[in-house]
Amino acid sequence: MICEDARIEIWTGSRPPSAIHDFRAVVLSQPEQSEAHRLDEGQRETPLTGEAPPPVNDLVNILFTSGSTGRPKGVEITGLSLLHYSKWVVDYFGLTCEDVVANHAPYNFDLSTLDIFAAVRTGAAMCPVPERLKMFPYQMAKFIADEKITTWYSVPSALIMMQLRGKLGEHDLSALKHIIFAGEVMPKPALQEIAKMLPRATYTNLYGPTETNVCTYHRVNADDLASDSPVPIGVPISDTRIWISEDGELLVAGPTVTTGYFGDAAKTAERLIAAPDGVGAAYRTGDRVKQRPDGVLMFEGRLDRMIKCRGYRIEPGEIEAALCRHPAVKEVAVVAIADPVFGNRLKAGIAARDGVSPREDDLRQFCQTHLPPYMLPDVWEFFASLPRTDREKIDLVALAQGA
């Protein structure tokens, strides 16, 4: 599906593609272990001729989103986006050729652009985390210590795994200067615990959908750690402009914003609109935000996650934030499940902390003290860990389908 949408002509990898596609060439690093030679001979032997086509809108690669909402979309990434973002990262975090940047995210996930391009730009070492370690938090923490990682960037769940089971106190993590997270909301209790274990590191929350790369940031401070309120998504990175629409949606314009969805003019026109200041285009993020008096942005949830239930408009993020305050809750996600009478019912998926087995009655009573009655979940499901997509984000579709 991705090969078709992106009109891929050359396949490279250690194995041949799982489905036959009209490739002009297939290049394998381990051809003796594969069935590459069974591909159509005409395709395999057709020479590549002619001049390289001129760049269109500076397009350098396409990242396919594969979250929990259906068919992947090919997000166009420009050279300008990568150059600008990598320069901001190097300048803001002060990276040098002495740094060692861990690469935890897969290359088809936009988090990896920081690891790759910031490291290349400044001459730092990029150290990929072996796949075999990613499900073993103790070994992952040992990897950080052994490789003397100075900069770690991942989704919050990887950090939470190490906080809970990595025995961080047993490792020499003195080289670790920057702990950066993005991709989903970082639960405040987990962040507070990690900061206690690793007090010398700085903590930074980066925000931005694939279509904008990172567009805002927030350096976690002492006031943040002392508060139970969510971690802010902060302020715009350099040369980035933002607006908040009447319905609370965040609009973003600037050099890191995509030029559109490859081969999908309709979707591009839907999400890229004229910037309110009349300069270029702005991306509609679909995220609801509020701006504090000091100018810092707070993430309020997705517009498209808004649930209509019993006549009320409900933001699942508010319920999730309340449940995250319960001492037995490690992670939570709230989704809508269809109901013929009420339209929707609310389902809460709960992952409990190690050694704790919260009861539905206790959580319901806890919610009653923090939420209005119409926001109380109707269905509860408990997990060792919440279901996730291949990009390690919570899989909301799987959670709803399991009802």
Side-chain angles (χ1 to χ4, degrees):
M1 184 165 61
I2 289 176
C3 290
E4 292 174 2
D5 287 352
R7 304 168 200 164
I8 299 299
E9 295 189 359
I10 301 174
W11 172 281
T12 64
S14 59
R15 291 182 241 173
S18 58
I20 297 298
H21 175 72
D22 190 22
F23 296 111
R24 294 177 64 192
V26 175
V27 181
L28 302 178
S29 60
Q30 301 173 6
E32 70 282 357
Q33 300 177 17
S34 71
E35 299 180 356
H37 301 292
R38 298 184 186 176
L39 294 173
D40 181 82
E41 289 295 316
Q43 294 177 25
R44 185 168 58 84
E45 295 181 359
T46 300
L48 298 178
T49 60
E51 296 295 323
V56 179
N57 292 327
D58 192 28
L59 178 65
V60 294
N61 72 299
I62 301 171
L63 279 177
F64 278 82
T65 62
S66 61
S68 50
T69 56
R71 186 180 181 94
K73 304 182 296 290
V75 180
E76 298 174 350
I77 308 297
T78 66
L80 175 62
S81 172
L82 296 176
L83 287 169
H84 186 87
Y85 175 52
S86 61
K87 184 179 188 304
W88 176 81
V89 169
V90 169
D91 291 346
Y92 180 72
F93 292 103
L95 300 184
T96 72
C97 60
E98 301 298 321
D99 279 291
V100 181
V101 181
N103 166 233
H104 180 270
Y107 297 140
N108 65 337
F109 191 9
D110 56 347
L111 267 66
S112 66
T113 58
L114 183 153
D115 313 334
I116 299 168
F117 296 100
V120 169
R121 188 178 194 107
T122 195
M126 188 191 80
C127 198
V129 180
E131 284 295 324
R132 66 181 183 277
L133 301 185
K134 291 184 180 179
M135 295 306 296
F136 300 95
Y138 183 87
Q139 295 300 324
M140 201 154 55
K142 184 176 184 298
F143 169 86
I144 295 173
D146 291 346
E147 300 297 334
K148 294 182 171 54
I149 299 297
T150 66
T151 305
W152 175 272
Y153 183 34
S154 73
V155 290
S157 57
L159 290 165
I160 294 171
M161 284 174 58
M162 289 190 285
Q163 175 242 323
L164 293 172
R165 303 186 185 93
K167 300 183 180 179
L168 297 178
E170 296 184 8
H171 307 281
D172 178 8
L173 303 178
S174 57
L176 191 56
K177 297 185 296 184
H178 306 293
I179 295 177
I180 312 167
F181 47 90
E184 58 189 1
V185 175
M186 166 65 88
K188 180 57 80 63
L191 177 61
Q192 291 166 329
E193 288 300 316
I194 296 169
K196 288 178 185 177
M197 296 174 177
L198 301 171
R200 296 172 59 183
T202 65
Y203 296 84
T204 306
N205 184 25
L206 301 185
Y207 161 83
T210 300
E211 290 85 349
T212 68
N213 207 319
V214 168
C215 58
T216 71
Y217 70 101
H218 179 76
R219 174 69 59 83
V220 176
N221 55 46
D223 289 341
D224 295 321
L225 293 173
S227 165
D228 288 333
S229 61
V231 181
I233 61 172
V235 296
I237 70 169
S238 60
D239 299 329
T240 297
R241 294 122 55 211
I242 61 169
W243 300 267
I244 302 175
S245 69
E246 290 185 1
D247 60 357
E249 181 179 16
L250 179 65
L251 310 179
V252 181
T256 64
V257 173
T258 183
T259 50
Y261 298 101
F262 189 78
D264 194 337
K267 177 61 72 173
T268 298
E270 176 188 335
R271 305 307 298 182
L272 283 174
I273 62 173
D277 61 3
V279 181
Y283 177 71
R284 296 179 53 216
T285 64
D287 289 337
R288 290 173 56 244
V289 301
K290 286 184 179 178
Q291 194 165 35
R292 298 191 321 202
D294 60 1
V296 170
L297 295 175
M298 303 296 295
F299 178 75
E300 296 283 313
R302 288 285 300 170
L303 284 173
D304 55 14
R305 283 195 68 200
M306 192 75 75
I307 297 172
K308 190 75 174 290
C309 181
R310 300 181 179 89
Y312 293 96
R313 292 177 62 84
I314 297 171
E315 171 51 56
E318 294 182 26
I319 306 173
E320 293 165 356
L323 280 166
C324 273
R325 299 191 195 111
H326 192 285
V329 173
K330 178 177 68 176
E331 279 189 306
V332 59
V334 174
V335 295
I337 53 177
D339 185 278
V341 177
F342 300 110
N344 285 303
R345 290 189 298 158
L346 300 174
K347 175 183 176 181
I350 304 290
R353 294 183 178 277
D354 287 353
V356 181
S357 299
R359 296 191 312 161
E360 179 178 324
D361 290 346
D362 293 336
L363 293 176
R364 184 179 298 278
Q365 186 175 5
F366 183 83
C367 284
Q368 288 173 343
T369 63
H370 292 85
L371 297 168
Y374 65 85
M375 295 182 74
L376 299 182
D378 304 290
V379 179
W380 302 78
E381 187 172 2
F382 296 88
F383 301 83
S385 59
L386 294 180
R388 295 191 174 273
T389 67
D390 60 351
R391 293 190 177 185
E392 299 182 355
K393 293 188 177 184
I394 296 171
D395 193 334
L396 300 175
V397 169
L399 185 62
Q401 291 175 342

